[in-house]
Amino acid sequence: LRDSIIKYRYLNPSKAIDFGIEFTNKNYDVKPTKIIHQTYGLIGEILQINGLDDLALEYFNQSIKQYQALPDSEKKFPSINFPPWIILNIGNIYLQNRNFEEAYKKYYQAIDLFNRIEDKKVKFNGLNTSYSNIGLIEDLKGNLDKADSIYFQVYQKRISSPKHEDILYSLVL
């Protein structure tokens, strides 16, 4: 079922959601696993992209519960008790709904989590995304100087990366 969700997430989101519901029903009372945690997060992303924010939050919260119930040996990042990308996605929902204070809280929580991760690539991408989103909040609030300062700091970090699309993204902001 997870493969079907992945296959249809962009091609046919409604079908992906149907597979997600089926997955949820089949795994409701099952012992938490990494796959279940990741699939709840994936379903949350699909729901979020399709504007179903309340449902997306439910799935993201289930993903968090699944992650927290995993033994450390099965967690991608055993040094933290929250999945940082899920926290960041929850912040994005708050941002989309212009609840800037809650978005700030989630982005700063994600920053704290990413800072505790040893995987340099994940940390780099997560921190830059979190700070860019904080810059976006400042931009939307009309604090253009503060937004520009944040965007420039992210750009400076991304310049050190050979990933050209990230540098271009920072230049667009």
Side-chain angles (χ1 to χ4, degrees):
L1 286 175
R2 179 176 163 77
D3 291 340
S4 297
I5 296 167
I6 292 169
K7 176 181 178 179
Y8 290 109
R9 77 192 280 182
Y10 299 115
L11 296 173
N12 188 341
S14 294
K15 196 170 193 172
I17 291 169
D18 289 341
F19 281 117
I21 292 168
E22 186 178 344
F23 177 89
T24 302
N25 290 337
K26 285 187 176 184
N27 292 288
Y28 183 72
D29 282 332
V30 177
K31 179 183 170 228
T33 67
K34 189 175 179 179
I35 293 295
I36 294 172
H37 145 66
Q38 291 171 338
T39 304
Y40 273 113
L42 176 62
I43 296 166
E45 288 176 22
I46 295 166
L47 292 166
Q48 178 185 4
I49 289 167
N50 288 282
L52 302 168
D53 293 341
D54 290 340
L55 282 173
L57 283 172
E58 287 182 34
Y59 276 89
F60 287 145
N61 285 321
Q62 282 300 318
S63 178
I64 291 168
K65 287 179 185 174
Q66 291 284 321
Y67 184 84
Q68 291 175 331
L70 291 173
D72 285 349
S73 61
E74 291 183 38
K75 291 180 181 176
K76 186 170 185 176
F77 309 112
S79 63
I80 57 177
N81 206 29
F82 289 90
W85 290 106
I86 298 295
I87 299 300
L88 191 131
N89 281 333
I90 293 172
N92 290 344
I93 289 174
Y94 288 127
L95 175 62
Q96 289 169 342
N97 289 286
R98 301 185 72 83
N99 185 341
F100 299 139
E101 290 311 309
E102 290 302 316
Y104 274 127
K105 287 178 190 175
K106 291 300 175 186
Y107 293 144
Y108 281 112
Q109 182 183 5
I111 288 167
D112 178 59
L113 294 167
F114 285 119
N115 274 321
R116 294 190 285 163
I117 292 174
E118 292 181 23
D119 182 320
K120 292 186 186 310
K121 184 177 178 184
V122 171
K123 180 186 278 193
F124 181 83
N125 291 331
L127 289 173
N128 286 332
T129 302
S130 299
Y131 282 116
S132 291
N133 290 356
I134 290 169
L136 184 56
I137 293 172
E138 295 300 337
D139 205 347
L140 291 169
K141 290 173 73 175
N143 300 329
L144 301 183
D145 288 340
K146 192 170 184 180
D148 283 344
S149 173
I150 293 168
Y151 292 149
F152 184 72
Q153 288 172 15
V154 171
Y155 169 73
Q156 291 293 95
K157 290 177 189 168
R158 285 183 170 158
I159 262 185
S160 68
S161 167
K163 201 169 170 193
H164 299 293
E165 61 270 21
D166 284 351
I167 296 168
L168 290 172
Y169 179 76
S170 285
L171 290 172
V172 171
L173 294 175

